[in-house]
Amino acid sequence: MNTKTVISLLVIISSLLAISYAIADQATGVIPQTGLRNLASFYLENTLNPSNKSYWTASPEATSAIVWDYRGFDTFFETSVFYLAIVGCTLVFELYEPPKSKTTKQTELGLTIIVKVITKIVGILIVCVSASIALHGQLTPGGGFQGGAALAVLPILFIITMSRFALDRKVNDTSMIIIRALGLCGIGITVILPLFLGFITNNNAYIIQNQMKPDALVSLPSTIADKMMGGSLWMLNVSEYIAVGAGFTLAFLLLSLPERSFKKILEEEKYATY
Amino acid sequence: MIDLILTIIGEILIAVGVFCSLVASIGMLRFPNFFVRLHAATVGSMGGSFLPIIGAGLIALGSDFPDKWMFFGGLIVAAIIVMLVSPAGSHALARATHRARVAPVEPKVTDHLKEDEDEKEGEKD
């Protein structure tokens, strides 16, 4: 046994002892209470309560209901933060011009044909699985952001296996910005839709309202063809899915740029006189 | 009756998966170099993940969940993805290692990749 093994054994044993001491001595902080808090019992009672529809969300999935209905504004601003991060990313890479002439053949770039074919097959599966995560967001665990993040695995796989230049021919930065803007427009329309409905039916309405409240009798369709749709939840999930998928794709496209494609411009800027 | 058969088949598949995972971990520890260990790792991912996922799907189908077909479908899709991705991944790893020449290609009968590379280099010269 050399010194390295002894040290790693000592580290493992001491961290095990520390963790077990912490757990045994309740040093992990306050033990959470076993009963339900008032807020939790409110959510559990009202999320899917067909007999008392005054605060219900028409969604069997409480997490999605909290994220997009009870705590809708919070999620709205999270989406804005993500949108601003992508805007910052595009601004930083503004210098880049896509390469015009492709001298290298596509077949010579990337990994072998086996990996490329498997990537194409798996790509279809990724689109299906991510769409099901997003579209079932109001029924099962999942939702728009999770679906979009799963969809964003696809461009990474394509960048690794086919090379970035092959992906450049299929999608470009501008189309991704447009698709992302479409997703965000969907969120905006869904958010304002209750106001229009309230205006037409001469009722009170709130922004991001989903189902009717005691003082605002406007509700978005809770079932479509006998399937629970959760009113605004599925619209917001689909819009978020499109926006997040396109946004992540854009970020990965920009981050995978080789440095040499904008290094020259950077050097010119360094010596420029302002 | 059919539920019981499905559950038993699922449990057998999970047991086979446990065996394959054990064999793979022994192989990862005992095999001499990268390429042979890669074989053990693939045994672990195909036998140790693909089969148990199918088994779990069959057990879900044999029990009386509400929405059991949804669980079964999800597990089958996951199994298909594992089945497709794991060999392609190990292929890419092996190819990259061979090209980088960081691991000895042993034990070997022939090395067609090296012959191809030599031919290409010969054409360049």
Side-chain angles (χ1 to χ4, degrees), chain A residues 138-257:
Chain A
Q138 76 276 16
L139 299 174
T140 54
F145 193 90
Q146 292 86 331
L151 181 67
V153 174
L154 188 59
I156 301 183
L157 272 180
F158 270 76
I159 286 168
I160 292 169
T161 57
M162 317 258 182
S163 87
R164 204 205 119 108
F165 297 106
L167 193 66
D168 257 349
R169 293 175 206 182
K170 302 280 190 322
V171 293
N172 59 30
D173 309 353
T174 321
S175 64
M176 281 301 117
I177 291 173
I178 292 170
I179 295 172
R180 181 174 166 73
L182 280 178
L184 290 169
C185 284
I187 294 178
I189 289 169
T190 318
V191 164
I192 303 176
L193 195 59
L195 294 187
F196 278 104
L197 288 176
F199 182 71
I200 293 166
T201 56
N202 202 9
N203 271 319
N204 278 340
Y206 294 108
I207 297 177
I208 330 189
Q209 188 179 346
N210 178 8
Q211 299 299 309
M212 59 172 84
K213 302 280 177 278
D215 56 343
L217 298 171
V218 170
S219 54
L220 296 167
S222 61
T223 54
I224 292 177
D226 289 342
K227 296 269 181 262
M228 303 290 283
M229 301 305 281
S232 65
L233 296 185
W234 73 273
M235 301 187 214
L236 290 166
N237 271 335
V238 171
S239 310
E240 177 90 356
Y241 169 61
I242 296 167
V244 169
F248 269 129
T249 308
L250 181 60
F252 294 143
L253 276 175
L254 292 173
L255 287 175
S256 64
L257 278 175

Side-chain angles (χ1 to χ4, degrees), chain A residues 111-112 114-115 118 121-122 125-126 129 136 140, chain B residues 70 77 80-81 84-85 88-89 91-92 95 99:
Chain A
L111 301 180
T112 53
I114 299 171
V115 186
I118 293 293
I121 299 170
V122 171
L125 283 172
I126 287 173
V129 169
H136 272 232
T140 54
Chain B
M70 193 190 75
V77 172
I80 290 173
I81 289 180
L84 287 173
V85 169
H91 160 77
R95 170 107 181 163
R99 281 188 122 181

Side-chain angles (χ1 to χ4, degrees), chain B residues 112-125:
Chain B
H112 289 299
L113 272 177
K114 191 164 187 302
E115 286 167 20
D116 285 357
E117 277 170 17
D118 290 347
E119 265 180 33
K120 265 190 190 170
E121 274 175 23
E123 279 171 19
K124 270 182 199 167
D125 296 339

